């Protein structure tokens, strides 16, 4: 079933009003007929099953049939992902969106192989945002997770420190019991930052700075790829938080 993301202001008591590029998409690309059903999500995370009722010149009106189950986690998870090689960021985005991430912040770190100039970085973020939207539709998210612009490590730390719970999976950390405890202690509603290093890992000064305000945790005795590590911790958080 096709899904559309609207501003909550476009959602009334009995019907929704779709405007903008989605109108052309519904009418001319999907060629949807009056009576066909669609899923609509609002910017506040609410979701509805709707039925197309009317085509206007520049709008589509769909009657609300029922409210849909909330698919968002009760906590906002911010994934700080070091820029990985190749197309691995695409994998990170797709899987993190499926697992309920709220925002992904790509970050430059000392051992990142990939270095992006401003223009390239902006183009990649636009592409990644489109990917996040596609993954959100596929996984029936009620919101489209935001892909932040690429930030420096110092900026990433500042943003990460604004969260209630701050976890940094570190390849040289030992003992998963501390990781279990850290996840178990999280209360629904708390914001969570997860910081993942690049293929080359954390530079000593980077992990030292992170440890001043974040808890470094082990994800087991094996070395996970940078695109696996975030998914591993996101899975643990999802299992703990899902209601
Ligand atoms: N170059 C590092 C090495 O060989 O030790 C490996 C870095 S790993 C490919 C990329 C990132 O994934 C790490 O910086 C860390 O954030 C995370 N990671 C990978 N394995 C982990 C583990 N067993 N425990 C905690 N974090 C891990």
């Amino acid at each position: 079933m096709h899904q559309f993301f609207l501003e909550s202001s476009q959602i009334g008591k009995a019907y929704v009003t779709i405007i903008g590029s989605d109108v052309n998409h519904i009418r001319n690309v999907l060629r949807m007929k009056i009576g066909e059903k669609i899923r609509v999500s609002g910017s506040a995370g609410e979701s509805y099953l709707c039925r197309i009722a009317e085509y206007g010149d520049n709008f589509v009106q769909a009657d609300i049939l029922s409210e849909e189950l909330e698919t968002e986690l009760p906590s906002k998870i911010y994934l700080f992902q070091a820029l990985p090689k190749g197309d691995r960021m695409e994998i990170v985005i797709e899987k993190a969106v499926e697992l309920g991430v709220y925002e992904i912040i790509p970050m430059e770190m000392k051992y990142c192989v990939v270095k992006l100039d401003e223009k390239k970085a902006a183009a990649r973020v636009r592409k990644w945002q489109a990917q996040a939207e596609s993954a959100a539709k596929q996984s029936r998210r009620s919101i489209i997770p935001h892909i932040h612009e690429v930030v420096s490590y110092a900026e990433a730390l500042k943003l990460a420190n604004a969260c209630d719970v701050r976890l940094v999976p570190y390849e040289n950390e030992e003992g998963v019991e501390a990781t279990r405890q850290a996840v178990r202690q999280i209360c629904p509603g708390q914001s969570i930052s997860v910081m993942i290093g690049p293929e080359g890992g954390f530079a000593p000064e980077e992990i030292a700075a992170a440890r001043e305000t974040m808890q470094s945790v082990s994800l087991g005795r094996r070395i996970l790829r940078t695109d696996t590590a975030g998914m591993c911790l996101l899975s643990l958080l999802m299992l703990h938080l899902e209601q």
Side-chain angles (χ1 to χ4, degrees):
M1 184 179 296
H2 297 293
Q3 174 163 352
F4 299 91
F5 294 92
L6 311 183
E7 290 304 322
S8 293
S9 57
Q10 294 170 252
I11 298 176
K13 287 232 172 312
Y15 62 85
V16 303
T17 307
I18 299 170
I19 53 176
S21 59
D22 280 339
V23 175
N24 174 60
H25 191 64
I26 293 171
R27 189 205 308 261
N28 302 321
V29 177
L30 301 173
R31 297 181 181 282
M32 296 191 81
K33 302 270 177 292
I34 301 286
E36 284 196 69
K37 290 184 181 144
I38 57 174
R39 193 163 182 272
V40 163
S41 294
S43 41
E46 70 281 31
S47 292
Y48 301 96
L49 177 65
C50 299
R51 179 173 42 220
I52 294 179
E54 182 191 345
Y55 273 111
D57 291 345
N58 51 11
F59 70 87
V60 176
Q61 189 169 301
D63 294 333
I64 293 176
L65 301 176
S66 61
E67 187 152 5
E68 292 260 285
L69 199 60
E70 169 67 72
T71 61
E72 296 306 309
L73 291 174
S75 283
K76 290 179 177 175
I77 303 174
Y78 297 81
L79 174 62
F80 293 81
Q81 175 65 51
L83 287 174
K85 285 191 286 194
D87 62 356
R88 289 187 184 279
M89 186 57 117
E90 281 79 346
I91 298 167
V92 167
I93 289 167
E94 184 175 79
K95 302 311 169 199
V97 169
E98 291 172 43
L99 286 165
V101 78
Y102 180 75
E103 181 167 348
I104 297 173
I105 303 93
M107 46 177 193
E108 293 162 337
M109 290 175 75
K110 187 172 180 185
Y111 296 156
C112 278
V113 173
V114 173
K115 305 285 181 203
L116 297 173
D117 63 29
E118 213 170 302
K119 199 159 161 270
K120 264 199 200 140
R124 290 278 178 96
V125 167
R126 279 194 299 275
K127 184 178 149 204
W128 293 336
Q129 188 62 67
Q131 253 200 301
E133 178 164 356
S134 163
K137 289 188 174 179
Q138 176 278 323
S139 57
R140 293 196 167 188
R141 291 288 301 269
S142 300
I143 58 131
I144 301 171
H146 177 57
I147 308 297
H148 197 282
E149 62 180 10
V150 180
V151 297
S152 67
Y153 186 64
E155 286 164 74
L157 275 179
K158 255 192 244 145
L159 293 169
N161 287 337
C163 287
D164 302 317
V165 178
R166 302 173 297 281
L167 303 173
V168 52
Y170 177 45
E171 57 273 23
N172 299 328
E173 191 60 61
E174 289 176 5
V176 287
E177 186 47 38
T179 311
R180 276 193 204 101
Q181 288 305 331
V183 172
R184 257 192 218 125
Q185 284 159 10
I186 296 171
C187 304
Q190 285 187 303
S191 56
I192 305 160
S193 50
V194 171
M195 185 170 276
I196 303 293
E199 288 86 351
F202 281 87
E205 66 275 20
E206 289 173 335
I207 191 62
R211 276 173 155 166
E212 280 171 20
T213 55
M214 300 180 80
Q215 180 181 352
S216 65
V217 293
S218 168
L219 296 178
R221 296 182 188 152
R222 292 157 301 285
I223 293 295
L224 309 179
R225 285 183 183 280
T226 185
D227 48 317
T228 308
M231 300 320 111
C232 174
L233 187 46
L234 275 173
S235 301
L236 299 175
L237 292 169
M238 183 277 291
L239 207 57
H240 172 68
L241 289 163
E242 190 73 281
Q243 292 170 332

